[in-house]
Amino acid sequence: EDGALAAPADEPADGEDAKPTDPPVNPTAPKPSRIPWGLSKLHIILYMFVTIVAALDMNLMAPNLTAIARDFDFTDEERDWKLGGEMAF
């Protein structure tokens, strides 16, 4: 009546606290994890370390096949068959 505007219905009026609209939280419910399947950061770091260590020797043998074959007294055919074929698996 005196020209003052009323607060919109979805906003709290002056002096009122905003009411939360979220559903109630179950305190006994498990909290969601950021890491899937419940893995801890230690597990992930350990997995990464083991993967890196396992892959470190991948390219060590290829440039040294002739030197390895000489150490074992292999012929060129044995080198290709045993080191290039069988050892790669």
Side-chain angles (χ1 to χ4, degrees):
E1 278 94 76
D2 60 314
L5 296 174
D10 59 341
E11 293 181 13
D14 291 335
E16 292 182 17
D17 291 332
K19 306 265 190 278
T21 57
D22 295 335
V25 178
N26 181 359
T28 60
K31 294 181 180 180
S33 174
R34 290 184 181 179
I35 301 172
W37 306 294
L39 295 175
S40 69
K41 289 180 183 178
L42 177 63
H43 287 116
I44 292 175
I45 291 170
L46 182 63
Y47 177 76
M48 289 171 56
F49 176 75
V50 169
T51 303
I52 290 169
V53 169
L56 281 177
D57 66 343
M58 290 291 187
N59 291 323
L60 291 178
M61 192 172 82
N64 299 307
L65 287 178
T66 304
I68 295 169
R70 284 187 199 134
D71 286 343
F72 288 103
D73 295 324
F74 288 163
T75 64
D76 287 343
E77 286 183 19
E78 288 177 319
R79 176 195 66 201
D80 294 341
W81 176 255
K82 292 181 179 178
L83 296 178
E86 292 179 357
M87 289 298 291
F89 291 110

